[in-house]
Amino acid sequence: GQYYDKQFTIYIDNVNEAPYGINISGSIPENSVIGTTAGTLSTLDPDAGDTFTYSFIDTGSYPDNNSFNLSSGGVLTSKAVFDIETKSSYQLNVRTTDSGNLTYDGLVYVPVTNVNEEPTGIDLTSDSISENVPTGTTIGNFSTVDPDAGDTFTYTFVDNSSYPDNGSFDIAGNLLK
């Protein structure tokens, strides 16, 4: 029944664990010039302070990869001009590699943000009126050509000094009277 007590110190060696996720911060505004930064990737990893490199993988199955450049540091830049009315998000297949060469492959989504684009045209349904009609008679309806679906518009006369005939007409909503 005799015994002897002794304390031991057990040391835990740090082991490199694999990354387990990829995040993206940022988005790409539609109509941005080629080379615009679309976001920066970051890696989820249990090892604090680890460093990572990034690359696209399986581009054949993920053709959206071809719409971006990806630096090894995780910065995405555009290789195209994006239009939200055509496509609102891009799916990229990315590999992150930690400093110990362990990897994680994952999908990230780059959203395209809407930018209010300028109207590209204005139309009038009729551009003539009979003489001697009462004041306030509707001549026609204005409509606007605009790449942004669902926009609403207001109509006003401009440069009345150069176009004094503007004073002979009124605009009510989208009606020329």
Side-chain angles (χ1 to χ4, degrees), residues 42-93:
S42 60
T43 299
L44 303 171
D45 189 299
D47 298 312
D50 211 344
T51 59
F52 306 93
T53 59
Y54 300 89
S55 60
F56 289 128
I57 58 170
D58 196 14
T59 298
S61 298
Y62 295 90
D64 288 351
N65 288 359
N66 295 316
S67 298
F68 295 90
N69 288 313
L70 175 59
S71 74
S72 63
V75 176
L76 282 169
T77 55
S78 62
K79 287 174 55 177
V81 176
F82 301 102
D83 178 24
I84 197 168
E85 286 81 21
T86 304
K87 190 170 183 174
S88 63
S89 180
Y90 287 76
Q91 182 183 40
L92 309 178
N93 196 8

Side-chain angles (χ1 to χ4, degrees), residues 84-155:
I84 197 168
E85 286 81 21
T86 304
K87 190 170 183 174
S88 63
S89 180
Y90 287 76
Q91 182 183 40
L92 309 178
N93 196 8
V94 177
R95 173 172 290 154
T96 180
T97 305
D98 72 10
S99 60
N101 286 324
L102 297 177
T103 64
Y104 173 82
D105 298 344
L107 300 176
V108 295
Y109 297 87
V110 180
V112 178
T113 55
N114 194 23
V115 174
N116 186 21
E117 298 156 295
E118 291 183 7
T120 58
I122 186 170
D123 293 315
L124 182 61
T125 58
S126 176
D127 60 1
S128 66
I129 190 167
S130 299
E131 65 179 341
N132 300 319
V133 296
T135 300
T137 299
T138 297
I139 299 169
N141 295 325
F142 288 112
S143 63
T144 301
V145 180
D146 191 303
D148 296 315
D151 265 357
T152 58
F153 306 94
T154 57
Y155 302 93

